[in-house]
Every structure is written in structure tokens, then in C-alpha cells.
Amino acid sequence: MKKVVRKNINNLPYSLHDGVVIGFEVIGDNLIMKFQHGFLRTVEPFEQINGSIEIQKIDWDFSFVYLLDYQDVLCGNVGSFTGKKIELKIFINQFKNAQFNLIDETYGYNTSKFNGYFSEGDIFRECMIEIYHLGDMNYLVEG
């Protein structure tokens, strides 16, 4: 039997973990996610870098946001929840004053997924943003 290895992606220049997304900007089929304090460099000196990310050539028909509302437990804990799936463009237009606290990022074939917590006022929900795109993801570093 032939063994084919798919290596883990472990050479990302920046980590988005604990990044706070404070806005989305749609420019044609591209999306810019704006971060409150940028992201973290993954090599020494492991510094915080101000910037945003740009995802190119998004297929909006296959890009969604999942919002989970927990029942009888605090948000993010094990337990029952209800939720809804929203088209990414609708989510961006509907929640202009919200924040997305990004906890985890996952990359696959033409897909970038971001998991974390969505907050608007005093409402907190677990949130998954799933973006199907045919272009690159660019780190837009300030300075």
C-alpha cells in the first residue's frame, strides 16, 4: 500500500488566535477582516502586529456563518444549543456593530474557517465563519 502524507500547516507567519475582528469590508469578491489589535507573529520575537487580513475570490454562495445560542449553560460550554446558519454577506450587513473574538483558525482545500465568540451588546454566541475562496489569504500588515 502506498502512503501519501498531508502535512499539517505549521508555517503560518501569523496567528489569528485571540484576535478581535471589529469589522468586515467587502470589495467585489474580496473580504477584508479588520482586527482591533492585529495578530501575533509566529516566530521570534513573537510580537503583536497591527493589520487586517484579505481573502480573495470568495464564492459567496458557499460561504456561511453559524451562530449558536446555548440553553441552560454558559456560552461555549458543553450542553444544548440552538442556532442558525446565515449567508456570510447577510451576516456582514446585519451585524455591523458586533465583535468576533477569534479563537481558532482552520485551513483546507479552498476553505478558511474561523471559530470563536460573537458579541453584540450583552449577547454572546459561539460563532463559526466558513469562507470558500479560490484566491489567496493575505496578511495586510501596517507599518
Side-chain angles (χ1 to χ4, degrees):
M1 177 182 303
K2 182 179 177 181
K3 179 178 173 180
V4 177
V5 176
R6 184 207 52 90
K7 293 192 179 275
N8 271 341
I9 299 173
N10 59 6
N11 60 348
L12 296 172
Y14 302 101
S15 170
L16 303 179
H17 176 73
D18 283 341
V20 179
V21 178
I22 56 171
F24 298 90
E25 183 179 354
V26 176
I27 304 171
D29 286 335
N30 298 341
L31 173 67
I32 296 175
M33 293 173 65
K34 299 177 181 183
F35 286 79
Q36 185 174 39
H37 301 292
F39 25 81
L40 187 67
R41 186 185 308 271
T42 59
V43 296
E44 286 192 44
F46 305 111
E47 60 191 345
Q48 194 77 22
I49 304 294
N50 286 327
S52 303
I53 62 169
E54 174 190 45
I55 302 173
Q56 298 178 326
K57 298 182 184 175
I58 293 176
D59 188 333
W60 298 103
D61 292 332
F62 297 100
S63 298
F64 303 99
V65 176
Y66 303 82
L67 293 173
L68 308 180
D69 292 302
Y70 283 81
Q71 302 171 335
D72 303 322
V73 293
L74 292 175
C75 180
N77 287 310
V78 175
S80 298
F81 61 85
T82 61
K84 59 183 171 179
K85 179 179 178 179
I86 305 170
E87 293 174 15
L88 178 58
K89 266 197 173 173
I90 292 173
F91 172 82
I92 290 169
N93 289 326
Q94 187 174 352
F95 297 105
K96 292 192 184 290
N97 297 319
Q99 286 189 349
F100 176 56
N101 295 293
L102 201 151
I103 302 299
D104 194 26
E105 55 190 303
T106 307
Y107 304 105
Y109 182 75
N110 291 340
T111 305
S112 297
K113 294 183 182 182
F114 306 102
N115 297 321
Y117 297 97
F118 166 81
S119 61
E120 185 178 41
D122 60 351
I123 298 172
F124 292 90
R125 297 179 175 131
E126 191 165 343
C127 180
M128 292 165 277
I129 299 175
E130 179 179 82
I131 303 173
Y132 188 83
H133 56 98
L134 300 172
D136 293 328
M137 185 179 103
N138 301 308
Y139 298 92
L140 307 176
V141 178
E142 295 176 15

